[in-house]
Amino acid sequence: MRLWGGRFSEANDRRVAGFTSSIELDQALATDDLTGSIAHVRGLGRAGLLDADAVATLIGGLEALRAEVEAGTLTWDAELEDVHLNLEAALADRIGPLAGRLHTGRSRNDQVATDLRLWLRRTIDTLDGALVGFERALVDLAAREGEAILPGTTHIQPAQPVLFAHHLLAYVEMLERDRGRFADTRRRANVSPLGSGALAGAGYRLDREATAADLGFDGVTANSLDAVSDRDFVVEFLAAASLTMIHLSRLAEEITWWSNPRFGFVRVADAFSTGSSMMPNKKNPDPAELVRGRAGRVVGSLTGMLAVLKGLPLAYQRDLQEDKAPLFETAATLEASLGIMAGLMATLAIDRHRMRTAAEEGFTTATAVADALVRRDVPFRVAHHVVAGLVAAAEAAGVGLDALPDATIVAALAAGGDPGAVAIAADPGIGDELRAAASIEAAIASCDVIGGTAPRRVAEALAAARARLDPGA
Ligand code: ARG
């Protein structure tokens, strides 16, 4: 007979046990379940529902089960449905009928909610380490390739040159926000549902706050119905994970382009590449592609979980059991993806020459030249027109903006009839001044605002990123 089968006169259909069992997945909660049970037993002792001997025996039995779980020697039985009933049955097997007192004042509904919160808390802590590790790889690469210059693009077209380090630090910003979102999720999740019972609250005067403190929770849930049916924290985690995966995916996408020989900006190490079964020439960035692909699956987990929750009345419904697959899969995917991307970035070889040459294509310093005219008091809109004329002339002549002859520059300045531009055209030094402004280095240095790509700003950002990652250093 099933543990809950007292009122049943017929056995379940043979298909039901397998269909309703969650042990395949929720065995991952085993140590958290034991941690929760031990705290609950202490609470029962404090409430006078168990004497000191019973508390000691139950805790001893639960600790012994923890050792079995950690050693991988405990066997799971799908007939016993889930991790909670498996562990209770194993406890009864080890210590006898006293195990029957464990579930006093508790339901699997508040139990699983507790387990999940404990699991999520430690998983977020692990993931935070992985996020930091990946950020370090980015920061180290930014420091190592501090002088590399990348063609910054918008619309995938050449736009303005930027320091490669600046580009990498953009991802560090995203990841810092990701860390904040996980920390936020952790903070809201870190309250104890224990004592909520099945839905109405335990029928004993349990000191919920003491048990919560015992488990390292910051407090207790305030409403028993909410406590057993709330999975907002799962959704929050999946949403935070989705954003992180999207950030990884965007970088992975850039890696696939940059490593294409047409670009040749980077070489992905053999250690993070794979080959083709047919084409001997191939070296593919498959790990990066799979990070990109798995981002799609994580987003699917988020939308799947939202769909599970959408129509559920209060309080606990069995549908909630479906939270485990998306939650566990997402955490594993995220941790693995962070490790892959950290390794890939740490071993990435940069071809500064190819990057820089590409940064010179497409007249990427045109904005800097217009800005130089504005510094000479030409209205920006006039400057934009003048430089557009210079770009057209340079394109026709097949040269860069920094190689245009004086005559072309003077003609472009005079063409629009703006009195200020016409006056500047007469200045004999204007050709040299604008050609200097058109150099890649000058263009980069000119973006000298907080958050800009000027080398000194990037150096500051790099130092700030390092300080955030290693607050003690
Ligand atoms: N395996 C269940 C879950 O993960 C545990 C709670 C089951 N509660 C119940 N009353 N059937 O949600």
Side-chain angles (χ1 to χ4, degrees):
M1 198 207 293
R2 310 289 282 270
L3 179 142
W4 39 253
R7 63 154 295 171
F8 284 60
S9 49
E10 279 176 39
N12 275 156
D13 183 275
R14 65 182 168 76
R15 287 162 290 202
V16 166
F19 192 72
T20 55
S21 170
S22 56
I23 191 63
E24 280 287 325
L25 288 174
D26 65 17
Q27 56 183 268
L29 297 173
T31 56
D32 302 298
D33 195 72
L34 291 164
T35 301
S37 287
I38 289 167
H40 180 61
V41 167
R42 284 201 200 100
L44 294 175
R46 277 192 301 270
L49 292 156
L50 292 173
D51 63 28
D53 279 354
V55 168
T57 308
L58 281 163
I59 291 179
L62 291 163
E63 289 292 6
L65 287 182
R66 187 201 296 282
E68 287 187 56
V69 168
E70 281 166 1
T73 52
L74 198 79
T75 51
W76 305 106
D77 182 357
E79 287 290 322
L80 291 171
E81 220 173 288
D82 57 25
V83 67
H84 323 295
L85 298 186
N86 265 270
L87 288 172
E88 190 178 327
L91 185 67
D93 181 60
R94 310 298 189 276
I95 69 166
L98 181 63
R101 295 189 182 270
L102 170 64
H103 214 52
T104 311
R106 189 177 72 170
S107 156
R108 278 186 291 161
N109 300 348
D110 57 351
Q111 187 178 359
V112 72
T114 303
D115 294 2
L116 271 183
R117 286 168 189 268
L118 290 172
W119 181 91
L120 191 65
R121 197 171 76 179
R122 66 186 170 86
T123 298
I124 287 175
D125 293 344
T126 304
L127 284 170
D128 190 61
L131 283 161
V132 167
F134 176 51
E135 283 188 51
R136 278 213 182 91
L138 292 171
V139 165
D140 288 348
L141 181 58
R144 176 153 52 86
E145 296 294 340
E147 270 115 67
I149 292 166
L150 187 73
T153 66
T154 61
H155 314 269
I156 321 185
Q157 307 300 318
Q160 290 182 279
V162 293
L163 289 183
F164 180 54
H166 193 52
H167 193 98
L168 295 173
L169 289 172
Y171 283 97
V172 172
E173 291 300 315
M174 298 175 219
L175 288 150
E176 278 296 305
R177 290 196 296 275
D178 292 332
R179 289 181 71 199
R181 273 182 283 269
F182 284 115
D184 228 32
T185 301
R186 187 193 195 285
R187 191 172 50 75
R188 262 188 298 282
N190 197 32
V191 287
S192 175
L194 271 186
S196 299
L199 74 163
Y204 312 90
R205 297 284 291 272
L206 300 174
D207 183 349
R208 295 190 58 210
E209 273 155 345
T211 302
D214 198 357
L215 289 169
F217 284 121
D218 295 328
V220 296
T221 55
N223 180 296
S224 60
L225 295 165
D226 179 44
V228 295
S229 52
D230 166 31
R231 293 295 183 275
D232 289 5
F233 60 97
V234 174
V235 172
E236 285 189 39
F237 176 80
L238 295 175
S242 294
L243 261 177
T244 308
M245 285 301 294
I246 283 167
H247 295 150
L248 296 183
S249 180
R250 294 180 77 171
L251 180 60
E253 166 80 9
E254 295 190 314
I255 296 290
T256 64
W257 285 107
W258 291 346
S259 61
N260 178 305
R262 273 277 157 184
F263 287 74
F265 297 170
V266 303
R267 271 181 77 90
V268 178
D270 285 359
F272 290 92
S273 306
T274 55
S276 160
S277 61
M278 178 174 154
M279 299 171 283
N281 56 317
K282 290 291 280 178
K283 187 177 142 188
N284 299 324
D286 292 40
E289 293 164 59
L290 283 168
V291 166
R292 189 176 58 192
R294 287 189 189 148
R297 299 211 357 205
V298 168
V299 172
S301 289
L302 169 63
T303 56
M305 190 64 217
L306 287 166
V308 165
L309 294 173
K310 176 182 168 298
L312 298 188
L314 297 183
Y316 179 86
Q317 316 296 332
R318 192 62 179 268
D319 315 45
L320 291 172
Q321 179 167 293
E322 298 303 304
D323 56 6
K324 288 172 198 66
L327 185 58
F328 296 167
E329 188 180 289
T330 292
T333 299
L334 181 55
E335 191 182 356
S337 301
L338 285 165
I340 286 288
M341 291 304 285
L344 192 151
M345 297 311 280
T347 54
L348 199 64
I350 309 302
D351 189 333
R352 290 192 195 188
H353 178 70
R354 300 266 328 217
M355 254 188 207
R356 197 210 146 92
T357 306
E360 285 168 359
E361 285 167 9
F363 313 102
T364 55
T365 59
T367 305
V369 176
D371 289 341
L373 287 173
V374 169
R375 276 181 210 109
R376 287 291 213 98
D377 206 29
V378 176
F380 179 75
R381 198 46 63 208
V382 173
H384 190 288
H385 275 290
V386 168
V387 179
L390 292 177
V391 167
E395 191 165 43
V399 297
L401 290 173
D402 58 352
L404 282 172
D406 281 354
T408 309
I409 291 172
V410 168
L413 281 166
D418 177 81
V422 170
I424 291 168
D427 182 337
I430 191 63
D432 284 340
E433 189 177 324
L434 294 190
R435 280 187 294 271
S439 82
I440 295 278
E441 280 71 17
I444 287 180
S446 72
C447 296
D448 189 8
V449 289
I450 294 172
T453 195
R456 75 180 188 106
R457 300 293 186 169
V458 175
E460 279 169 18
L462 195 58
R466 275 214 197 284
R468 275 187 312 209
L469 293 176
D470 299 300

